Amino acid sequence: MKLNLAIVALALAVPTASFAQDSTAVSNGEYPNTFSSGSANVSPFTQKSKRFNDWAISVGAGVPLMQSADLTSIKNGNGKNLFGYSAYVSIDKAITHAFGLKLQYDRGETRQGFFSTKDSAPTDLAVSQRLAARTQYDAISILGDINFSNLLRRVDNHSTYRWALHGYAGVGTLAYRAYLKDGSNRQRLMTEVKPFKFNSLFGQVGTGLKFKVNRSLDIEGRVMYVVTGDDQFDGGGAKYSAINQREENTSDNFFNATLGVTLKLGKHESHLMWHDPLQEVYYKLDVLANKNQDIEVCKKGDADNDGVCDDWDRQLDTPAGARVDGAGVALDTDLDGVIDLYDKCVTVP
């Protein structure tokens, strides 16, 4: 019995739910359904109905600095100031005005240790410091993009919107080749990790400041912190080697500072990430508030002065003093053919 009732209920619910999600019903002149939230101004969201561009391509280059590792790119006891190189290219998709996704490819080389691998080991260094390394890496990641400037913008801020602060975070796969050079002045390949392996997973998080040059081009300065999750990324070799015992951390991490440009694709005048919906609403309200609307009452006048405009008066020659209905017709309460103004007995037919 319960099974039969469930089947009947499902049979009734499916077409009802289907109609409730049909936003095109309004365009056919029917009453707005559940999906339209009672608004008659609804329509299907298609490519043709889009008002803003939402695709872009970004490219940039910069300098990676190994910060948390047994061999670093910063003069902090585990190395000296050494600068590598990095570059990235990404395909960007704006989901909303405040959130988007990036599919990004990174390529670069970090340089860490107490001297450059291009040079010979300095003889004035202690034996334990005659270490230099470089790591060539390639990475593919998916990044979430939060537009903080759009998300936190004040509703009463009507200033020009040309700067935007973005936050990024994501994960991906990291492939690298780490080389080490010691006092023997021989450069050796210590570790190689292939992409799309379990031990190649990494994460990165950071922030960027964008400047809108024009409708098609943005400039961005970005700083990302890359967590490799690997203690051999810096060229220290095996997990328990003498180099990897210098620090207790088990993940070699680095900063990546870049400067890049974003090419916004599409035919529309503005990109979705540069659009503030609240400003559009307030702009339209201001336009309505400042618009002078001259309301003209009784455009055709009221020739018989019965209080009903001639635009919808059905009796334009109502006698003066006669009471009228909403259509401007003189009242005849007893329906005897004599209007109440002249009828001596308005209650007797």
Side-chain angles (χ1 to χ4, degrees):
M1 181 65 179
K2 292 183 178 180
L3 179 60
N4 293 335
L5 289 176
I7 294 175
V8 172
L10 183 62
L12 294 175
V14 169
T16 304
S18 300
F19 178 77
Q21 300 301 318
D22 181 14
S23 61
T24 62
V26 178
S27 62
N28 296 330
E30 301 177 19
Y31 188 78
N33 53 37
T34 304
F35 182 79
S36 67
S37 301
S39 172
N41 187 25
V42 296
S43 60
F45 184 66
T46 63
Q47 289 292 333
K48 292 184 178 180
S49 62
K50 288 184 177 180
R51 295 171 46 209
F52 304 99
N53 301 322
D54 51 11
W55 287 96
I57 296 177
S58 298
V59 295
V63 177
L65 295 172
M66 190 70 71
Q67 176 267 338
S68 176
D70 300 287
L71 296 175
T72 66
S73 306
I74 304 172
K75 191 174 182 179
N76 63 352
N78 289 330
K80 61 177 294 186
N81 296 331
L82 296 171
F83 304 103
Y85 66 87
S86 67
Y88 70 86
V89 59
S90 68
I91 299 175
D92 312 332
K93 168 66 174 177
I95 308 300
T96 71
H97 67 287
F99 178 75
L101 291 174
K102 293 175 176 287
L103 178 61
Q104 181 166 300
Y105 169 71
D106 291 89
R107 183 180 179 86
E109 179 178 289
T110 63
R111 295 170 184 168
Q112 54 273 356
F114 296 91
F115 63 96
S116 173
T117 54
K118 296 180 180 180
D119 304 326
S120 299
T123 56
D124 58 342
L125 289 177
V127 175
S128 61
Q129 293 184 339
R130 294 178 186 177
L131 300 169
R134 64 185 180 92
T135 305
Q136 298 174 338
Y137 66 88
D138 297 90
I140 298 176
S141 57
I142 296 178
L143 299 175
D145 176 4
I146 298 179
N147 186 344
F148 288 113
S149 294
N150 234 347
L151 190 64
L152 304 177
R153 187 172 171 85
R154 289 173 57 104
V155 297
D156 57 351
N157 184 355
H158 297 279
S159 62
T160 304
Y161 187 24
R162 299 187 71 89
W163 293 91
L165 181 66
H166 288 247
Y168 304 105
V171 295
T173 179
L174 176 69
Y176 70 87
R177 295 165 300 281
Y179 299 87
L180 178 68
K181 191 174 187 178
D182 53 21
S184 64
N185 286 322
R186 291 187 301 108
Q187 194 170 160
R188 295 171 293 161
L189 175 62
M190 302 299 292
T191 308
E192 182 175 9
V193 173
K194 299 293 185 179
F196 305 109
K197 303 292 185 180
F198 180 76
N199 63 340
S200 70
L201 294 178
F202 82 105
Q204 58 178 325
V205 62
T207 185
L209 183 62
K210 279 191 174 184
F211 175 73
K212 181 181 179 182
V213 178
N214 52 44
R215 63 178 294 270
S216 301
L217 191 67
D218 296 338
I219 297 176
E220 180 182 21
R222 189 187 301 180
V223 177
M224 302 294 292
Y225 189 68
V226 181
V227 180
T228 67
D230 191 337
D231 197 21
Q232 303 180 46
F233 184 86
D234 61 355
K239 183 177 181 180
Y240 297 105
S241 67
I243 296 176
N244 282 334
Q245 295 300 310
R246 296 171 66 95
E247 297 291 338
E248 295 181 356
N249 56 289
T250 58
S251 175
D252 297 332
N253 309 326
F254 63 92
F255 285 102
N256 191 16
T258 58
L259 181 64
V261 296
T262 298
L263 178 63
K264 294 168 285 189
L265 308 176
K267 61 182 180 180
H268 301 291
E269 287 298 320
S270 180
H271 190 274
L272 184 58
M273 279 285 193
W274 286 106
H275 177 67
D276 184 357
L278 286 177
Q279 293 303 315
E280 181 177 5
V281 172
Y282 277 86
Y283 170 76
K284 290 182 177 180
L285 290 176
D286 290 342
V287 170
L288 291 175
N290 297 327
K291 187 175 182 180
N292 294 324
Q293 294 183 344
D294 297 328
I295 301 176
E296 189 174 4
V297 181
C298 288
K299 186 176 182 180
K300 295 181 179 180
D302 182 12
D304 52 10
N305 294 316
D306 61 355
V308 179
C309 296
D310 291 350
D311 303 69
W312 52 83
D313 196 336
R314 294 175 58 188
Q315 186 178 24
L316 298 176
D317 57 350
T318 304
R323 294 187 304 162
V324 297
D325 59 15
V329 178
L331 294 178
D332 179 11
T333 304
D334 53 11
L335 302 176
D336 61 356
V338 180
I339 64 174
D340 293 353
L341 179 65
Y342 303 132
D343 198 335
K344 294 183 178 181
C345 187
V346 298
T347 60
V348 178

